[in-house]
Amino acid sequence: MLSLIATVNAAIPGGQSETEHSNYGDMGKAKEFAKEHMGDKGKNLTEKEELMMLFSLHDSNKDGKLDGIELRAAFSDFNQGAPDSTLSLQQMLDMIDHVIAEDDTDNDGKISWEEYLISQKYHEG
C-alpha cells in the first residue's frame, strides 16, 4: 500500500478467502516488497509506519491519494512472481473498481491515506 496494494484476493486464483481479505491483497507480501525497496529504512517500523510506507511507495504523484493508475501499479507489484498471478486487464479493472467502491468514502475516485488506513483496520478483524 505503499507497495501498498492488490484487491480482494478472493478474486485471484489461490488468493485469500472472502473472510480474511484485504482490499490491498496479501499485506505480508506487500510489506516484504516495500521493505526490500526501503533497505535499512524499512527495518524496525511500527505497523502504522509499515502501512504508511506501503501507501507512500505507490503514491507516485505524492498527492496523498491513490488513483486508479497508482492502484494498478501496486496490484501489479504485489502479484509479480506469485503462482497464477497473471491477471487480465478486466480482472485488474474489477479489482480497482472494487477498492474504489468500497474504500473511497468521500467519492472523489481516489483512496486517501485516511481511507486506506480505515480499510486496513476494518479488514484486520
Side-chain angles (χ1 to χ4, degrees):
M1 247 275 317
L2 238 13
S3 187
L4 238 2
I5 307 167
T7 188
V8 177
N9 254 354
I12 301 171
Q16 297 166 313
S17 73
E18 186 68 30
T19 58
E20 60 185 23
H21 85 275
S22 163
N23 281 346
Y24 303 93
D26 182 334
M27 290 309 292
K29 288 181 183 178
K31 289 176 184 177
E32 288 304 314
F33 175 86
K35 286 180 180 182
E36 287 175 16
H37 284 77
M38 294 294 292
D40 288 338
K41 293 179 184 177
K43 296 179 181 176
N44 302 317
L45 298 175
T46 66
E47 182 73 16
K48 189 171 181 178
E49 289 170 332
E50 286 179 342
L51 290 174
M52 177 56 98
M53 177 180 57
L54 288 170
F55 185 90
S56 299
L57 188 61
H58 287 100
D59 181 16
S60 58
N61 65 1
K62 306 301 180 208
D63 68 350
K65 297 182 178 195
L66 299 175
D67 61 26
I69 294 168
E70 292 164 329
L71 288 169
R72 182 177 180 191
F75 296 151
S76 296
D77 287 346
F78 292 158
N79 289 314
Q80 237 175 17
D84 299 322
S85 65
T86 304
L87 298 174
S88 70
L89 177 58
Q90 189 58 55
Q91 287 173 310
M92 184 69 72
L93 293 174
D94 289 346
M95 288 171 50
I96 293 166
D97 288 346
H98 174 82
V99 169
I100 301 274
E102 189 169 286
D103 296 346
D104 178 24
T105 57
D106 66 4
N107 297 312
D108 67 351
K110 301 175 183 180
I111 305 301
S112 68
W113 163 244
E114 293 80 13
E115 291 166 332
Y116 176 76
L117 193 57
I118 289 167
S119 176
Q120 290 303 320
K121 288 183 179 185
Y122 172 80
H123 292 293
E124 277 180 359

